[in-house]
Amino acid sequence: MTAPQIDSIDSLAEGLSGYLEKQQINQVRRAYYYAEQAHEGQLRRSGERYITHPLQVAEILSRMHMDHQSLMAAMLHDVIEDTGITKTAVKTQFGNTVAEMVDGVSKLSRIKFRSQAEAQAENFQKMAMAMSRDLRVIMVKLADRLHNMRTIRALPPDKRRRKARETLEIYAPIANRLGMNEMRIEFEELSFEAMYPLRFRRIGAAVRKVRGNRKEVVTKIQTSLEACLEREGLPGRTIGREKHLYSIYDKMRSKRKSFAEIMDVYAFRIIVDRVDTCYRVLGAVHSLYKPVPGRFKDYIAIPKANGYQALHTTLFGMHGLPIEIQIRTEEMEAMANNGIAAHWLYKSSEDLPSNAHVRAREWVNGLLEMQQSAGNSLEFIEHVKIDLFPDEIYVFTPKGEIFELPVGSTPVDFAYAIHTDVGSTCVACRIERRLAPLSEPLESGQTVEILTAPGHKPNPAWLSFVVTAKARTSIRHFLKNQKQSESTALGRRLLTKALASFGTSLDKLSREAVSTLLEQLRLDSLNRLFGEIGLGNRMSHLMAQRLIDLNENPTGAELKGDLLVRDAQSSVMNYARCCCPIPGDRIIGYISAERGLVIHTDDCNNVADLRANPEKWVEVNWDPEIQGEFSVEVRVELEHQRGIIAVLATAITGAEANIEKISTAERDAHFSMVNLLINVRNRVHLARVMRKIRMIKAVTRVTRVKSRKVRKPSGRTEATTIH
Ligand code: MN
């Protein structure tokens, strides 16, 4: 798509006069002048005046016939972000709606992220949120990104690649989901070029080269198609389609097809006046050339999730050349190109319902629903990504209701699609009346019956095969709740028991004591405390002790915090040899008669064994300032090689760690296991050392040894340490 450069507000206004009122155009002008003044002195990376950017963004939107408020928001979209003008100021000048839109776009741009993956996830959520409030916000954001992609050359290469990848992963799918095909294609082409300039150029050159050879064939087919329509008295126009470069590249990569194979296909689109003409044209072309079995798709009867409608078929042309044909009406064509934007573009024509708009809204609502049950944003985007790519299958209920599911969906996915309750209570299924496993991937056109049993619960194993976000989220949600309620009940029992051993109970304690403890532990409810105890994160005995202290002495007890571990060496403190705790590990202290306080890692096996003596445990934490060296045991599995131990030792000392002890055990003729006792400063340091070791070619596995078996000194019950 080549957009002629609009270089002034006057030329934009001229274009607007085609579909906006004079007074509306004046408001757009006003927004332009306001932004121009606000951005005065600022330059784009390209060296142009900054105002050229909002002007172009508005221009992109005007081509979609977006309303005057969207254009005003486009003019002002960077004003809050880049010039320090407040939302209130924009509101006073241009009204609440425009101010809200500008604010929405600014918010989308403002989010700062820790990692790229998270960035995209967060971005997505924010977008979904913004969209559900005012879809025009997302349109402005998409136009903003489109102009930034058109001018991406001005950025340094690494930034260029990052932006391009983000565009490909986030913005192109959104455009696609909203049915805005033209914008999606431009996003893909620009991103592809920015990410892989060489591949882009090479494929481009190859396409130009074969285009000459193809021309004759294309004309021949087109003429025969047109003649056929003419003969049958079917009005319509036929256009030859060319695949865009990214889609060629993507096909080569994902379907492992050669360039020649892809280019061997000839694609046409026939656009007609009415829906029933589509089917008649289909009949006509099927009698002209033989159709390829199994390739006919009726997206008119069952539109794609983004609202796309057309008939697709493939024909055997002369000499067996495959010919792909799309047949649709003018309206469907407009929808296919502009999607949701067609809603604005064709607002005046009554017969085009805002179908895309409605569908987009449904999609957004679906996203928000998922987001509420999936807390973690990465988990969220993983779901969304799956849902975004429109490889759908259609399956039927026994009553003939159609459900649309992603490729690879199983009966469990189907059950959840019907209703969460059907999903969670499903026990078996019939596919085409035959009993089938719940994990069997479904295929388009199948009729699936789900058998449920009241009171049945979701099976964790389902997580290994379900593919829809809804099923996955619902199952996880259920499991999480179940785990929570179990641990809460267990924690309550443990705390009650501990309090009973002190001769008291929860209802004998003051409410203040309980709430103070919760505050100290930063927990928001007593149930959360039970949960923490039940999960083993807190010791019931210690919690009981603290509650009793707080009950007797509400003010004094506040001073008592956790014990801090400050030194690597100390006469009263010892580090357990079974689990070798190092700073960064979650730890717990055990009071031993002979050894003083012994520090274990929270997950040490011996700790679990010794929980029976709760009064001997104390809560401890690392002093954040702790210094010194700590012993830790690491196991390395490696292939035999001459001098490998020396290589290993060099790697470890190279990462500034000392080796205390090395022992080797042969596993078989090829592999050895080396146990190392090394000194490190903390977990981060250990991670660095392990990374260094892993980089050695001969090394197959590196693990930290925790909870190793410690022989108990005979005749004694205390088994936490060896000497
Ligand atoms: Mn911008």
Side-chain angles (χ1 to χ4, degrees):
M1 191 159 42
T2 49
Q5 282 275 314
I6 289 276
D7 51 7
S8 71
I9 180 67
D10 291 332
S11 45
L12 177 73
E14 208 182 293
L16 295 182
S17 60
Y19 75 100
L20 287 184
E21 306 274 322
K22 198 158 187 203
Q23 185 259 340
Q24 292 171 328
I25 297 172
N26 282 341
Q27 279 185 283
V28 176
R29 273 183 187 275
R30 209 157 60 78
Y32 169 83
Y33 293 125
Y34 188 88
E36 185 180 43
Q37 199 174 35
H39 289 295
E40 186 61 56
Q42 293 177 347
L43 295 179
R44 293 274 288 172
R45 264 198 192 257
S46 58
E48 286 177 296
R49 292 195 309 147
Y50 197 88
I51 190 66
T52 56
H53 168 61
L55 183 66
Q56 296 299 335
V57 174
E59 197 273 338
I60 291 169
L61 293 170
S62 76
R63 284 178 175 263
M64 300 189 274
H65 287 199
M66 295 287 293
D67 64 357
H68 69 289
Q69 290 181 321
S70 308
L71 298 180
M72 289 165 76
M75 293 297 186
L76 300 164
H77 82 269
D78 281 329
V79 155
I80 294 185
E81 198 52 30
D82 294 345
T83 72
I85 283 172
T86 62
K87 182 180 165 190
T88 324
V90 176
K91 188 174 159 184
T92 326
Q93 280 292 323
F94 302 101
N96 196 33
T97 312
V98 172
E100 283 297 333
M101 283 167 73
V102 173
D103 188 49
V105 179
S106 310
K107 277 190 181 131
L108 290 179
S109 324
R110 196 179 300 145
I111 317 150
K112 293 263 186 304
F113 311 104
R114 268 163 292 168
S115 73
Q116 191 68 13
E118 188 188 346
Q120 287 161 355
E122 292 280 335
N123 228 340
F124 223 100
Q125 295 188 10
K126 300 279 149 60
M127 283 208 161
M129 225 96 90
M131 285 166 87
S132 64
R133 251 180 269 133
D134 189 338
L135 284 170
R136 291 175 299 176
V137 170
I138 207 73
M139 306 296 285
V140 176
K141 187 67 205 170
L142 286 172
D144 175 35
R145 174 54 64 109
L146 186 59
H147 182 245
N148 283 335
M149 285 305 295
R150 284 178 182 171
T151 52
I152 200 167
R153 261 171 242 264
L155 295 182
D158 60 320
K159 221 170 167 185
R160 218 184 289 170
R161 273 193 296 275
R162 215 178 60 220
K163 284 266 169 219
R165 183 179 302 277
E166 190 182 68
T167 303
L168 215 47
E169 288 186 354
I170 300 293
Y171 291 87
I174 288 182
N176 184 34
R177 196 54 164 172
L178 298 179
M180 302 162 71
N181 206 33
E182 277 179 9
M183 189 181 275
R184 186 205 91 213
I185 290 174
E186 194 176 350
F187 273 145
E188 286 179 351
E189 294 298 75
L190 292 169
S191 307
F192 180 35
E193 183 179 12
M195 272 166 80
Y196 304 111
L198 258 166
R199 294 175 210 185
F200 179 84
R201 255 179 282 150
R202 212 171 292 147
I203 294 181
V207 167
R208 276 192 297 280
K209 210 168 140 197
V210 298
R211 193 181 284 150
N213 310 337
R214 282 167 53 99
K215 209 171 172 188
E216 202 183 324
V217 185
V218 170
T219 318
K220 225 168 168 180
I221 300 173
Q222 184 158 352
T223 317
S224 76
L225 284 172
E226 279 165 351
C228 167
L229 297 188
E230 177 96 40
R231 243 186 347 262
E232 304 285 328
L234 298 165
R237 54 194 176 102
T238 307
I239 33 185
R241 292 186 295 125
E242 246 185 34
K243 289 202 160 53
H244 64 290
L245 302 187
Y246 179 73
S247 87
I248 295 173
Y249 172 69
D250 190 48
K251 270 215 170 68
M252 288 169 73
R253 211 182 35 171
S254 65
K255 302 212 167 135
R256 297 186 178 280
K257 284 194 171 174
S258 71
F259 179 74
E261 271 176 285
I262 294 166
M263 294 309 286
D264 248 2
V265 178
Y266 291 82
F268 294 87
R269 182 175 302 147
I270 302 172
I271 298 161
V272 299
D273 55 347
R274 296 203 321 264
V275 173
D276 66 283
T277 315
C278 292
Y279 291 95
R280 288 200 289 153
V281 168
L282 180 77
V285 298
H286 276 189
S287 61
L288 180 65
Y289 297 115
K290 232 182 178 28
V292 178
R295 293 295 300 271
F296 167 62
K297 289 194 185 88
D298 186 349
Y299 293 123
I300 292 181
I302 307 174
K304 286 192 184 182
N306 62 8
Y308 176 86
Q309 286 188 298
L311 299 177
H312 287 191
T313 189
T314 306
L315 310 167
F316 289 114
M318 49 272 214
H319 318 300
L321 279 179
I323 305 173
E324 285 176 6
I325 309 262
Q326 299 175 347
I327 307 163
R328 55 183 159 216
T329 64
E330 292 285 356
E331 290 160 21
M332 292 173 191
E333 166 81 355
M335 275 306 229
N337 292 334
N338 301 297
I340 197 166
H343 170 64
W344 284 278
L345 203 44
Y346 298 90
K347 213 164 42 177
S348 49
S349 74
E350 287 162 49
D351 52 13
L352 195 96
S354 53
N355 218 332
H357 201 95
V358 172
R359 277 176 176 278
R361 244 177 212 294
E362 276 170 12
W363 175 64
V364 170
N365 286 340
L367 283 186
L368 290 175
E369 221 172 79
M370 270 192 308
Q371 192 197 339
Q372 273 154 14
S373 34
N376 176 312
S377 43
L378 287 180
E379 195 177 298
F380 174 75
I381 195 160
E382 177 196 320
H383 299 339
V384 173
K385 264 195 180 159
I386 293 169
D387 279 359
L388 270 178
F389 295 103
D391 291 298
E392 298 120 343
I393 56 167
Y394 298 94
V395 284
F396 297 82
T397 66
K399 283 184 188 154
E401 230 185 313
I402 300 172
F403 279 84
E404 174 196 287
L405 294 167
V407 163
S409 289
T410 62
V412 174
D413 293 296
F414 177 68
Y416 273 104
I418 297 171
H419 195 276
T420 314
D421 289 345
V422 177
S424 22
T425 58
C426 78
V427 285
C429 72
R430 287 201 189 95
I431 301 175
E432 306 289 4
R433 289 202 224 138
R434 138 189 83 85
L435 274 173
L438 285 172
S439 58
E440 187 171 307
L442 297 173
E443 280 164 32
S444 255
Q446 288 176 328
T447 299
V448 184
E449 186 185 349
I450 298 293
L451 310 175
T452 60
H456 195 78
K457 286 172 184 156
N459 184 342
W462 293 349
L463 283 175
S464 63
F465 59 73
V466 294
V467 302
T468 53
K470 192 172 182 199
R472 186 173 299 276
T473 314
S474 306
I475 298 167
R476 283 207 185 132
H477 195 66
F478 171 84
L479 294 175
K480 215 192 237 168
N481 278 347
Q482 191 189 33
K483 205 168 140 200
Q484 245 159 29
S485 64
E486 274 173 11
S487 58
T488 309
L490 175 64
R492 179 191 285 272
R493 276 208 307 279
L494 287 172
L495 187 63
T496 309
K497 220 173 114 194
L499 286 167
S501 73
F502 288 104
T504 184
S505 69
L506 258 181
D507 37 77
K508 282 188 196 146
L509 298 169
S510 70
R511 216 175 267 181
E512 289 72 39
V514 175
S515 60
T516 311
L517 178 65
L518 292 178
E519 222 169 88
Q520 286 177 356
L521 300 175
R522 291 196 194 89
L523 296 173
D524 53 19
S525 71
L526 191 54
N527 270 339
R528 285 279 309 280
L529 176 62
F530 292 148
E532 288 279 284
I533 295 172
L535 290 170
N537 295 337
R538 302 267 171 196
M539 305 276 298
S540 58
H541 183 85
L542 291 175
M543 292 302 106
Q545 182 66 59
R546 275 221 210 175
L547 278 171
I548 290 161
D549 288 350
L550 283 166
N551 197 45
E552 284 162 5
N553 186 1
T555 47
E558 212 178 323
L559 300 169
K560 233 162 122 190
D562 292 342
L563 200 56
L564 281 186
V565 177
R566 290 211 172 79
D567 302 299
Q569 258 88 43
S570 154
S571 52
V572 290
M573 248 184 225
N574 290 284
Y575 298 98
R577 282 290 187 170
C578 45
C579 50
C580 296
I582 57 174
D585 291 335
R586 285 187 67 147
I587 47 172
I588 191 160
Y590 185 80
I591 303 161
S592 122
E594 303 103 50
R595 304 256 306 147
L597 187 62
V598 184
I599 310 295
H600 286 267
T601 63
D602 197 63
D603 54 357
C604 174
N605 281 342
N606 294 329
V607 168
D609 291 349
L610 289 169
R611 294 227 170 201
N613 290 335
E615 67 286 350
K616 293 203 171 164
W617 291 103
V618 283
E619 264 183 72
V620 289
N621 273 313
W622 298 102
D623 186 326
E625 312 274 284
I626 194 158
Q627 305 250 331
E629 305 257 287
F630 298 81
S631 301
V632 67
E633 191 173 352
V634 171
R635 177 170 303 147
V636 183
E637 287 167 43
L638 39 71
E639 277 173 65
H640 291 311
Q641 252 174 41
R642 190 183 294 275
I644 185 67
I645 298 296
V647 174
L648 191 59
T650 312
I652 294 170
T653 47
E656 296 162 48
N658 285 324
I659 304 173
E660 253 179 70
K661 217 164 99 185
I662 289 193
S663 61
T664 318
E666 195 163 308
R667 249 183 27 195
D668 58 39
H670 299 290
F671 289 95
S672 293
M673 218 149 66
V674 181
N675 277 336
L676 295 144
L677 199 61
I678 57 179
N679 296 332
V680 294
R681 289 187 293 279
N682 50 38
R683 275 174 81 102
V684 178
H685 187 196
L686 174 64
R688 211 175 72 223
V689 175
M690 287 172 72
R691 212 161 39 237
K692 272 265 154 78
I693 299 176
R694 218 167 269 134
M695 271 156 52
I696 302 170
K697 251 204 178 142
V699 168
T700 53
R701 219 163 102 94
V702 188
T703 44
R704 174 171 174 194
V705 183
K706 265 191 181 178
S707 304
R708 76 183 152 126
K709 283 268 172 261
V710 172
R711 210 166 292 138
K712 292 182 188 177
S714 58
R716 274 190 273 169
T717 49
E718 201 264 310
T720 51
T721 59
I722 55 166
H723 309 274

